[in-house]
Amino acid sequence: MEWQPEPESLKQLIQLFNSTQTADNVVQQQNNQRLEELRKVPDFINYLLFVLVVMKEENSMVRAVAGLLLKNNVRQEFVNIPPHVLDYVKRKSIDAIGDPDTLVRHTLGTVIATIVALGKIRNWPEILPRLMQLLDSSEYAVVEGAWDILRKICEECDHELEEPMDDGTRPLNVMIPKFLTFFSSESPALREYAISTTTLFVGQRSECMQPMIDTFVVELFKRANDDNADVLKAVCKAVVALVETRPDKLMPELENVVNYMIHTTQHDDPEIAMEACEFWLSFCEQEELVESLKPFLGRVIPTLMRGMVYSEEDLLLLDNDDDNAVVPDLDQDIKPRHHRARTHEHHQAEGGAGSSNGEGEDDDDEDVYAEWNLRKCSAASLDVMSSAFGDQILEFVLPVLREELESEDWRVKEAGILALGAIADGCMSGMEPHLPTLLPFLIRWFKDEKALVRSIACWSASRYGKWAIFGSEPNTMKVYFEPLLGGLLETMMDNNKRVQEAACSAFATIEEDAGLYMVAYIQPVLETLVRAFGLYQRKNLIILYDAVGTLAEAVGPELNQPQYVQMLMPPIIERWNNLQADDQHMFPIFECLSATALALGPGFKPYAEHIYERSVQIIAETLQMCQQASQDMSIEAPNKDLVIVALDLISAIVQALGEDSQPLVAQHNSFALQLVGMCMVDPEADVRQSTFALLGDLAMHCFPLLLPQLDGIMQQLIPQIDRNFSHLNVCNNAAWSVGEVALKAGEEHMKSYVNPLLERLVPLLNNENTQLTLAENAAITIGRMGLVCPSAVAPHLDAFAQRWCIVLAPVKDNEEKASAFRGMMTMIGTNPQGISKAFLFFCQAALNWQTPDHVLLDMFVQTFAGLKQLAGSEWESSLSMLDPQSRQALSDRFNA
């Protein structure tokens, strides 16, 4: 007998669902508590399904609430659902696919797709054949319901659909041909479902899609002039997917495709136009395609520039010229902020390969290209196009730009200013002759009556900041940079919050570009920053903290002047003291204090103890809350980013104070180092990453405090140097910190760890797939261990010497590299045969030193003299493999 609900329980449940739509918080809490109790009832899922699919007399909202609860219960308790209950849910769900109510139908689709995703398709083999069969139904609700489920399954189970089933067939081989027939369906919704779902597999380069790609393209372009907006958007997305994965299918008809996308980029519906505009962005990011767009630039570029004008819809949201600086920000106005954990890396000498992974680049463009719409997409496309074609686009940009900048319509002028900023990176050289005229105009527009014009002028001007600093014009700093800086500082005090934000972000960009050139302007800059602390609301304070931190990084120790410290630190400390640990401001103020501490160095000492103590407290409290949350599911786990920023701030304090930080750390020695020990094994990689950065700093400046716990530290540290580098930055910082420990520990305390460390570091170094920064740190640490424990490391010299020299040769001169080379030459003195196979690479690495100190220079001379004496008559033949210029340089610099 089929399951039936108990009438009274069902009635209570319906009442509960009806009351969920109340705005009364007390009732909501009571409902949530009651639902938690009901979840423990064995057949609660059956009740939810019954309400969703059987009780058609109930209103759709009640049924949909039951369906959402059913989906959540299935997702949370799937492995615990008894098989007979799951079979009941599957059977009743399939029977209800054609429910006449769209909301109920789609909610049921979510439930079915969730079961398929969690339980796998092969464990419900009837579902796909049944859904495909229902696509042929004469009832629209049934067909639409089946399609809704299929598209959700395709999104959730895309890879599984490629795999052969028990009978050897791949589901997609059956599904895609059927999907393609719906491209010409009479129903716009079904056409959109078919195009969007099939496009998923185009974008993923599905094997099953490839034999049908030609049919896909033919059927797709039959819908190119569809009269439904959603279908047209789906067509545009599909064309973009083809550009990114199968451009060969578009190139034979490129002119027609380009004409269509130009036309559609100008569509009256801004959402359709934006989807079409994505085509230009994707096309220009394909290096092998971009040149083929060149013949069409004269039409594409003006189209993009017209697309940058604010729409009426945009202005309803954004056009606010009010003096709103005193209006407090709401929580929803402030975007979530995430901290990037610190990574220890080295800089390549000029001309060498960089070690950056590209993260953090173009941060200044994030806001202007945020809130994605046609305007932002057009600007981003022009930006990418300028990078692809450089100055070649200016013949098409400049006439439109001149017309827009001279327009009486502020919206058109604003779009021109946006375009001017968008082409800055790609067309800088071609724009240089125009900048002496244009930059003063931009600065003048900082005072425009329209807040949106003032905002975009700040951003656009900042994109030309490097020219104002380093340009070829005479007296460029005085004539261009100082007015730009002064204009931005003045505009930072604008009474409109959007303008403040743009000006402060632009200022941060140009101070980063200017670097030490900012030293001459510290006083007026600090005066403005301090005033801004008194004016800005919460959202813009976050940007202000960034600007302070960037100033500290730009001018470094030059900031450590008593008058500057007295101006800057009080407002920061006041806000530090007033912030709660759960405030979103905590992350940026931690980052700001870290940068400031590093710049002030000893000047930070008066503030260090209080900040250090609170940072330690925050780490302890956060870890304790995490432990409680792991034991009690009702407690929400805190954000571990707080631990990361606190660890990084402690690192900065230790670096700033040097050995003077020892008394500070010693006050909390056992507790603070206990926390470090816990963080070294934290499950979150970013926490471990920052912990090993701190460990290296503690080794440098507070080693006596680490020494009693060295064995425990090394037992935790060594396994993190992972030969598979599954957590790259953790491995990188762990490898670096070992080198710092080695230098301080000396041979007596270090020798027992040499072999297990070499077993991990040498394979990392020799693996050509190892990321460059990690390879550099591995090489430096091996060199440092060789300096401290030459008798233990030198016997292994021939196993890593060649790769060691290749990796460290291009690194800029610095003390870490110097200590590693001292270690290498100490090892060569112990085992000269170990360098024989890598001799030429060692010669080149030695010659790459620009200014070795006298100790290192003496070691080079002595090392080459020892190798020459050992080689005897074969010395000349050893050098014969070097080019004449290198041989002469060895002789001149090292008497070799």
Side-chain angles (χ1 to χ4, degrees), residues 176 255 425 453 455 549 773 858 866:
I176 290 174
E255 184 171 358
D425 280 354
V453 173
S455 301
T773 298
D858 287 346

Side-chain angles (χ1 to χ4, degrees), residues 187-218:
S187 162
L190 301 186
R191 294 199 299 273
E192 190 273 326
Y193 288 171
I195 295 170
S196 297
T197 305
T198 315
T199 299
L200 280 175
F201 301 105
V202 175
Q204 292 164 4
R205 296 179 168 86
S206 159
E207 284 185 27
C208 297
M209 187 70 228
Q210 302 318 310
M212 290 168 273
I213 196 74
D214 290 329
T215 307
F216 172 79
V217 173
V218 170

Side-chain angles (χ1 to χ4, degrees), residues 8 53 62 80 97 137 176 225 245 318 345 360 364 408 431 478 503 516 580 585 606 709 714 799 807 856:
E8 185 59 32
V53 304
V62 167
N80 300 320
I97 284 174
S137 172
I176 290 174
N225 296 308
T245 61
L318 300 173
E345 60 185 18
D364 58 318
E408 294 296 320
M431 288 301 296
K478 188 75 176 174
L516 286 172
Q580 300 301 312
H585 278 170
Q709 303 183 42
M714 295 304 291
V807 166
L856 190 61

Side-chain angles (χ1 to χ4, degrees), residues 473-588:
E473 292 286 313
N475 205 15
T476 182
M477 290 289 288
K478 188 75 176 174
V479 176
Y480 300 108
F481 179 73
E482 289 185 5
L484 173 59
L485 176 62
L488 287 174
L489 291 176
E490 184 178 349
T491 311
M492 283 173 64
M493 305 308 296
D494 196 283
N495 283 320
N496 182 277
K497 290 193 287 189
R498 174 179 288 274
V499 179
Q500 292 174 1
E501 177 183 5
C504 195
S505 297
F507 165 70
T509 298
I510 68 160
E511 63 177 339
E512 184 176 9
D513 290 339
L516 286 172
Y517 286 106
M518 288 299 300
V519 171
Y521 310 102
I522 292 176
Q523 181 74 27
V525 164
L526 287 181
E527 288 173 357
T528 300
L529 294 177
V530 170
R531 287 173 59 208
F533 271 116
L535 176 65
Y536 283 11
Q537 301 299 323
R538 294 167 60 204
K539 180 181 177 183
N540 286 347
L541 274 175
I542 293 173
I543 301 166
L544 186 61
Y545 293 134
D546 281 345
V548 172
T550 304
L551 176 68
E553 291 168 355
V555 302
E558 297 292 337
L559 193 61
N560 187 26
Q561 303 295 330
Q563 68 273 27
Y564 299 155
V565 176
Q566 284 302 314
M567 289 176 68
L568 178 62
M569 290 306 297
I572 299 177
I573 296 298
E574 180 185 352
R575 279 152 186 81
W576 165 266
N577 290 335
N578 292 333
L579 284 175
Q580 300 301 312
D582 59 350
D583 195 303
Q584 295 187 62
H585 278 170
M586 287 302 284
F587 298 156

Side-chain angles (χ1 to χ4, degrees), residues 871-891:
S873 60
E874 296 179 6
W875 179 249
E876 287 301 322
S877 64
S878 297
L879 293 180
S880 65
M881 300 295 289
L882 291 169
D883 63 82
Q885 186 177 355
S886 296
R887 290 181 64 179
Q888 187 61 46
L890 276 177
S891 175

